[in-house]
Amino acid sequence: KYQELNRWEIWALAYIVRRGCGDDAFDYFKAWVISKGQKAFEDITSLKVSELKQHFDEDPQLEEMLYLSENVYENKTGELMSPVRVKKQKLLGKEWKEDNLQNEFPELWRIFGQ
């Protein structure tokens, strides 16, 4: 599910909603989306504009979720978990420029823009 969110248009949504979103913040955003459940995940991945606003009732980031398995392992075993190596995948879709988000994603900008 995490990799399904690895798309430029999802990053644009995160950027517009959070009024800025770097690499790490985008990772935390993707973790937050997953934590919101199936309906939110589907609405966000499909960029279902009519449904998006209802899901953004808090700051959309959840860094702690990325460390959940490590914390559970350490609590259960009393030992540090070996690092998990995950191959980074390239973002799918069309790359955007920060200064052109309003023009490239007008519906998202209308709902969440400044």
Side-chain angles (χ1 to χ4, degrees):
K1 295 301 174 188
Y2 188 81
Q3 293 301 340
E4 287 179 42
L5 294 164
N6 217 22
R7 301 188 343 241
W8 280 103
E9 63 269 20
I10 302 298
W11 196 348
L13 171 63
Y15 196 99
I16 292 167
V17 169
R18 300 200 73 238
R19 291 164 176 67
C21 185
D23 296 6
D24 289 343
F26 184 48
D27 288 338
Y28 309 153
F29 176 82
K30 291 183 284 187
W32 174 84
V33 170
I34 293 166
S35 79
K36 294 294 280 183
Q38 184 175 352
K39 176 156 177 34
F41 181 87
E42 290 171 357
D43 290 346
I44 291 168
T45 56
S46 66
L47 291 177
K48 193 171 184 182
V49 174
S50 63
E51 301 293 322
L52 286 177
K53 187 81 170 168
Q54 69 178 313
H55 302 299
F56 290 88
D57 55 355
E58 60 189 345
D59 187 14
Q61 65 172 345
L62 191 56
E63 179 180 3
E64 298 82 11
M65 181 119 155
L66 298 178
Y67 307 107
L68 183 60
S69 60
E70 290 176 23
N71 292 337
V72 170
Y73 181 87
E74 291 171 20
N75 287 335
K76 291 282 187 183
T77 66
E79 298 177 13
L80 292 177
M81 185 172 142
S82 298
V84 176
R85 305 274 186 243
V86 177
K87 183 179 177 183
K88 278 264 195 197
Q89 291 186 339
K90 288 188 175 188
L91 290 171
L92 300 177
K94 182 179 176 257
E95 188 173 350
W96 43 263
K97 302 284 186 219
E98 292 174 31
D99 58 350
N100 200 31
L101 281 171
Q102 185 174 3
N103 296 326
E104 292 189 53
F105 301 94
E107 291 181 311
L108 296 179
W109 193 268
R110 181 179 45 78
I111 295 169
F112 300 108
Q114 294 138 25

